[in-house]
């Protein structure tokens, strides 16, 4: 078994983890806080995108799936923007809304350059980088508002913010040189893709734990 086959095989842990998380989320959905429901929707999005990656990468005649990345980035950023704006940062700022709208527009504009997205040699997802950087900014803004007393301490939000900050910081570092990673030999970039897979699965597990914990806590309160 070569490195490419090994990576493909262990990558199956991601959809398996997502299916487990969606089952947990579905079972607890009615008891979840509205903010935690965003995590459930995110897991559903991730599973749908994972299946699309595999279809276009392995089964479609295209054998190419990179164009899905900016599409995923758009919806991923929209979900986390809604989560942070409404429930974590509790912002009522028009500037924040304009920031979100501008970032979403930048990601959407990238989708218009279809020719570049459909060629592996020239592929570069600036939209994913913008989305990741903006979400890291939300995490740092959370700490700023927490320290100056603008928002209350919520245990789930505190744990979630740590996980989001670590995961999207790693994601940002990995997607900055994405053109190199998708065009270089697998033997050269193997460790980068393993790091990405490990960080993804650990992030999913944290989200699943938060969903389960919130559901059980709410169940006890009821």
């Amino acid at each position: 078994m070569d490195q490419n086959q090994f990576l493909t095989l262990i990558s199956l842990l991601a959809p398996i983890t997502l299916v487990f998380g969606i089952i947990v989320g579905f079972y607890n959905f009615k008891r979840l806080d509205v903010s935690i429901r965003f995590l459930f929707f995110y897991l559903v999005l991730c599973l749908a995108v994972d299946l699309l990656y595999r279809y276009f990468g392995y089964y479609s005649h295209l054998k190419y799936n990179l164009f899905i990345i900016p599409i995923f980035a758009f919806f991923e950023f929209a979900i986390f923007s809604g989560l942070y704006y409404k429930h974590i940062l509790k912002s009522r700022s028009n500037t924040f809304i304009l920031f979100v709208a501008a970032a979403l527009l930048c990601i959407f504009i990238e989708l218009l350059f279809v020719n570049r997205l459909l060629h592996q040699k020239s592929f570069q997802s600036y939209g994913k980088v913008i989305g990741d950087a903006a979400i890291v900014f939300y995490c740092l803004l959370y700490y700023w508002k927490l320290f100056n007393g603008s928002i209350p301490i919520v245990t789930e939000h505190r744990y979630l913010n740590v996980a989001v900050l670590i995961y999207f910081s790693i994601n940002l570092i990995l997607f900055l040189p994405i053109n190199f990673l998708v065009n270089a030999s697998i033997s050269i970039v193997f460790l980068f893709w393993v790091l990405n897979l490990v960080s993804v699965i650990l992030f999913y597990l944290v989200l699943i734990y938060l969903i389960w914990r919130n559901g059980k806590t709410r169940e006890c309160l009821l």
Side-chain angles (χ1 to χ4, degrees):
M1 181 183 296
D2 60 24
Q3 289 179 324
N4 197 19
Q5 292 174 323
F6 175 74
L7 192 59
T8 301
L9 182 62
I10 63 171
S11 71
L12 292 174
L13 292 173
I16 292 171
T17 304
L18 287 169
V19 169
F20 172 70
I22 290 171
I23 292 173
V24 172
F26 184 79
Y27 177 77
N28 293 282
F29 189 80
K30 291 183 179 179
R31 295 189 298 271
L32 296 178
D33 288 334
V34 177
S35 61
I36 302 301
R37 290 181 181 181
F38 276 81
L39 305 184
F40 171 75
F41 295 136
Y42 179 67
L43 294 182
V44 173
L45 171 66
C46 289
L47 179 60
V49 169
D50 187 280
L51 295 177
L52 286 174
Y53 277 144
R54 294 175 192 280
Y55 170 74
F56 284 105
Y58 302 117
Y59 305 108
S60 169
H61 69 279
L62 293 175
K63 295 296 187 290
Y64 182 81
N65 55 17
L66 295 178
F67 67 91
I68 300 175
I69 292 177
I71 300 174
F72 173 58
F74 182 90
F75 290 104
E76 178 181 59
F77 179 67
I79 288 175
F80 278 97
S81 294
L83 172 61
Y84 272 82
Y85 176 75
K86 291 184 177 181
H87 303 287
I88 296 182
L89 297 177
K90 299 184 182 298
S91 176
R92 296 294 181 268
S93 170
N94 291 330
T95 303
F96 191 100
I97 295 176
L98 289 175
F99 174 81
V100 172
L104 286 172
L105 180 61
C106 290
I107 299 173
F108 179 77
I109 289 175
E110 184 176 41
L111 298 175
L112 301 179
F113 296 92
V114 178
N115 289 336
R116 186 172 58 80
L117 294 177
L118 292 178
H119 289 86
Q120 182 171 319
K121 292 295 183 182
S122 61
F123 180 83
Q124 177 65 53
S125 183
Y126 298 106
K128 187 70 169 71
V129 172
I130 291 171
D132 289 347
I135 293 172
V136 169
F137 171 72
Y138 294 163
C139 296
L140 298 177
L141 185 58
Y142 166 81
Y143 287 122
W144 172 257
K145 293 174 78 71
L146 197 64
F147 291 150
N148 65 28
S150 300
I151 55 176
I153 297 176
V154 178
T155 302
E156 285 89 351
H157 295 172
R158 185 177 60 184
Y159 292 151
L160 174 61
N161 195 72
V162 172
V164 171
L165 177 59
I166 294 173
Y167 173 70
F168 281 98
S169 295
I170 294 173
N171 238 226
L172 178 60
I173 294 171
L174 289 174
F175 275 90
L176 279 171
I178 188 64
N179 182 267
F180 167 73
L181 294 179
V182 299
N183 287 295
S185 169
I186 187 64
S187 61
I188 297 176
V189 299
F190 178 75
L191 291 179
F192 288 95
W193 289 122
V194 170
L195 172 62
N196 179 63
L197 180 61
V198 171
S199 67
V200 164
I201 293 174
L202 289 177
F203 185 56
Y204 292 160
L205 289 174
V206 171
L207 299 188
I208 294 168
Y209 169 74
L210 291 175
I211 291 171
W212 173 81
R213 187 175 186 272
N214 185 256
K216 296 299 288 184
T217 301
R218 298 271 293 178
E219 183 180 34
C220 293
L221 292 176
L222 295 174

